[in-house]
């Protein structure tokens, strides 16, 4: 599946903006929490590694990633500026997590930067282009979770 269709991207953006506007952003942890926590727990993150979450939504998993190992740095990206604003507003400043607004299909991030990339309930919204971008920004030998 490749979704470069602007109408599809706009539909996804509108949906997640609406979730943020209704104050329901925090519900993402309820929907995906158990699975994402198990995946994060099983990740072999070493101190100082760079971590990426694709489609971070409210940012709760990105913050968890940033706490996974001493000095690890986590970046959460999402297409919805309103979700990013929510994630920023909920940052606890101890998780070493930051958030950026951009589409998963065209990441404005350098090649070979991240040691791990996590996507929890987001790749099915973007498809092959997002997966190709995740591969591009992963270091050689980096892991997709």
């Amino acid at each position: 599946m490749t979704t470069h269709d602007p109408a599809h991207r706009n539909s996804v953006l509108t949906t997640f903006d609406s979730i943020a506007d209704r104050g329901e952003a925090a519900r993402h942890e309820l929907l995906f929490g158990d699975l994402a926590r198990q995946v994060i727990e099983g990740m072999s993150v070493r101190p100082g590694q760079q971590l990426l979450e694709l489609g971070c939504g409210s940012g709760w998993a990105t913050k968890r990633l940033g706490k996974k190992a001493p000095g690890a740095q986590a970046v959460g990206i999402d297409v919805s500026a309103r979700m990013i604003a929510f994630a920023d507003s909920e940052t606890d400043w101890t998780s070493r997590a930051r958030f950026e607004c951009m589409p998963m299909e065209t990441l404005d991030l350098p090649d070979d930067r991240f040691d791990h990339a996590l996507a929890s309930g987001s790749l099915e919204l973007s498809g092959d282009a997002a997966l190709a971008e995740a591969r591009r920004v992963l270091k050689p030998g980096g892991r997709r979770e």
Side-chain angles (χ1 to χ4, degrees):
M1 173 174 100
T2 302
T3 53
H4 288 292
D5 177 17
H8 173 76
R9 183 180 292 163
N10 190 46
S11 174
V12 170
L13 175 60
T14 300
T15 298
F16 285 93
D17 280 351
S18 176
I19 289 168
D21 289 346
R22 291 191 313 262
E24 297 176 357
R27 291 188 57 211
H28 277 145
E29 186 171 1
L30 295 174
L31 295 172
F32 299 106
D34 288 339
L35 178 61
R37 273 189 287 280
Q38 290 175 39
V39 171
I40 291 168
E41 200 168 286
M43 291 171 69
S44 297
V45 176
R46 293 188 309 274
Q49 287 192 318
Q50 298 292 308
L51 315 167
L52 174 66
E53 184 183 12
L54 299 162
C56 68
S58 65
W60 70 270
T62 307
K63 289 180 256 186
R64 228 174 155 81
L65 280 172
K67 292 179 180 180
K68 181 75 174 146
Q73 298 288 316
V75 177
I77 61 105
D78 201 280
V79 70
S80 169
R82 292 178 185 140
M83 291 299 263
I84 293 296
F86 178 85
D88 277 335
S89 75
E90 297 291 312
T91 296
D92 59 15
W93 304 110
T94 63
S95 62
R96 295 175 308 279
R98 67 182 176 83
F99 304 96
E100 295 187 29
C101 184
M102 66 183 77
M104 290 186 292
E105 304 90 347
T106 54
L107 296 175
D108 186 18
L109 298 167
D111 294 354
D112 304 328
R113 175 174 174 190
F114 296 95
D115 298 287
H116 295 268
L118 171 71
S120 178
S122 59
L123 281 180
E124 66 272 14
L125 300 174
S126 297
D128 295 344
L131 193 55
E133 281 292 273
R135 283 187 195 110
R136 179 184 67 76
V137 301
L138 278 172
K139 293 176 182 176
R143 294 190 39 96
R144 294 179 302 271
E145 313 288 345

